[in-house]
Amino acid sequence: MTTRTASFADRTVFRVGYGALQLARLHDRRSEAVALLRRAVELGVDHVDTAEFYGSGFANDVIREALRPEDDVLVVTKVGAAPDPGGRLPLRLAQRPGQLRASVEDNLRSLGVDRLDVVNLRRLDTGPGLRPAGDQVVDLDDQLAVMTALRDEGKIGAIGLSSVTLDGLRRALPAGVVCVQNAYSLVSRGDEDVLRLCAAEGIAWVPFFPLGGAFPGLPKATDEPAVHAVAESLGVTPSEVGLAWLLHHAPNVLLIPGTANAAHLEANIAVSEITLDAATLAALDSVESRSSDVSIG
């Protein structure tokens, strides 16, 4: 049995949080979105991951309406991109220091707060997704300078990193890093060295694409025969096995699965109760890890 809580930004949180990206699917059913987030809190979620570019501000608006001060929920947002509703993708890169500051201000405004608990600097150095070009190629030190200035001003409580390499994380450690969000799953474990450094430094590891398969060409944990065999033996779904493996793999792993469905939300949170014995873990650990470095743009 894994522990149900872990340390994050000098707090103790339930290891299964909620990723707000999928709230945008309820854009025309706002009351359902608010009710879903309230249900997450009722089920014990005290860590919500969001961004201003999730639904072009819709996710943040729902969080502002749904969460109450007495809920004591740690809200984590991110900068490095901005909404672009009319673009080919619904976001555009915003990596320059001035853009990072503007994104922090946008998140403060849409969330209706004076300080953001944690802000992840979304780098574009590794993993699947966009790659920077032109004036969006910015040195990490320049970005950390504005992030630490915002923290000193009291607008940011703590700094995280996303899509960062091992070297980048090492460079950033003196600035104080409380979490790392990289693409990572049972079938894409290329960042194991980054995870180990996070564990050694007391940094939360918050994987995105925790089941893989978000883009064409990415492997999916739910396609693995070993995952299906474990799921059948435990009477759970392959997705639940993939998430449970992450919780068992390292004690500093936090999950932020997203959904727009209440039943799916309850199933995601229930993975904290799944126990994987040593033999089962060995079978899952033997699944081949493949690259998740697929760029789009």
Side-chain angles (χ1 to χ4, degrees):
M1 187 71 181
T2 62
T3 57
R4 290 172 54 86
T5 61
S7 177
F8 187 5
D10 294 325
R11 290 179 51 170
T12 298
V13 298
F14 181 47
R15 292 180 69 193
V16 183
Y18 178 76
L21 175 62
Q22 297 300 324
L23 285 176
R25 292 166 54 193
L26 299 173
H27 193 278
D28 296 327
R29 292 173 283 165
R30 186 186 183 92
S31 62
E32 288 185 35
V34 172
L36 183 71
L37 197 51
R38 288 305 312 161
R39 181 58 178 153
V41 173
E42 291 169 3
L43 292 169
V45 167
D46 56 5
H47 161 213
V48 172
D49 182 85
T50 187
E52 176 67 15
F53 53 85
Y54 286 177
S56 297
F58 179 76
N60 279 4
D61 287 343
V62 170
I63 290 168
R64 179 177 184 170
E65 180 176 345
L67 298 185
R68 305 159 186 165
E70 60 267 27
D71 295 327
D72 197 27
V73 173
L74 183 74
V75 177
V76 180
T77 189
K78 62 184 64 66
V79 294
D84 188 19
R88 186 174 62 85
L89 296 173
L91 56 81
R92 58 178 172 79
L93 299 185
Q95 294 279 302
R96 298 197 306 274
Q99 294 173 316
L100 299 180
R101 177 175 284 276
S103 291
V104 165
E105 297 290 351
D106 288 342
N107 279 281
L108 286 167
R109 185 165 45 252
S110 60
L111 288 168
V113 296
D114 296 323
R115 189 187 77 154
L116 302 171
D117 295 332
V118 180
V119 177
N120 285 316
L121 166 59
R122 180 69 182 269
R123 291 283 295 180
L124 304 155
D125 301 324
T126 185
L130 297 167
R131 290 289 180 268
D135 66 359
Q136 291 300 307
V137 178
V138 182
D139 188 79
L140 175 61
D141 290 342
D142 294 336
Q143 294 178 317
L144 289 172
V146 71
M147 296 295 286
T148 54
L150 286 161
R151 187 180 58 194
D152 292 344
E153 294 165 20
K155 295 184 177 183
I156 290 177
I159 298 168
L161 294 173
S162 179
S163 295
V164 65
T165 63
L166 180 63
D167 177 65
L169 176 57
R170 285 172 173 158
R171 287 173 59 193
L173 287 177
V177 176
V178 299
C179 66
V180 168
Q181 286 189 0
N182 276 17
Y184 181 86
S185 70
L186 172 64
V187 289
S188 296
R189 305 190 299 274
D191 279 342
E192 201 70 27
D193 50 358
V194 188
L195 170 55
R196 282 195 294 267
L197 179 57
C198 286
E201 295 289 338
I203 297 169
W205 179 257
V206 190
F208 64 89
F209 303 155
L211 298 174
F215 298 136
L218 288 181
K220 297 180 181 180
T222 53
D223 286 344
E224 295 297 323
V227 173
H228 280 265
V230 171
E232 185 174 354
S233 69
L234 296 178
V236 299
T237 67
S239 294
E240 290 170 316
V241 171
L243 295 177
W245 176 84
L246 287 163
L247 292 178
H248 283 73
H249 186 61
N252 62 321
V253 170
L254 301 175
L255 300 180
I256 48 169
T259 180
N261 179 274
H264 191 197
L265 171 71
E266 294 182 12
N268 286 339
I269 292 172
V271 301
S272 64
E273 303 292 340
I274 296 175
T275 297
L276 305 178
D277 61 25
T280 300
L281 283 171
L284 294 173
D285 288 346
S286 69
V287 171
E288 179 187 3
S289 172
R290 281 94 78 194
S291 172
S292 64
D293 199 17
V294 177
S295 63
I296 62 172

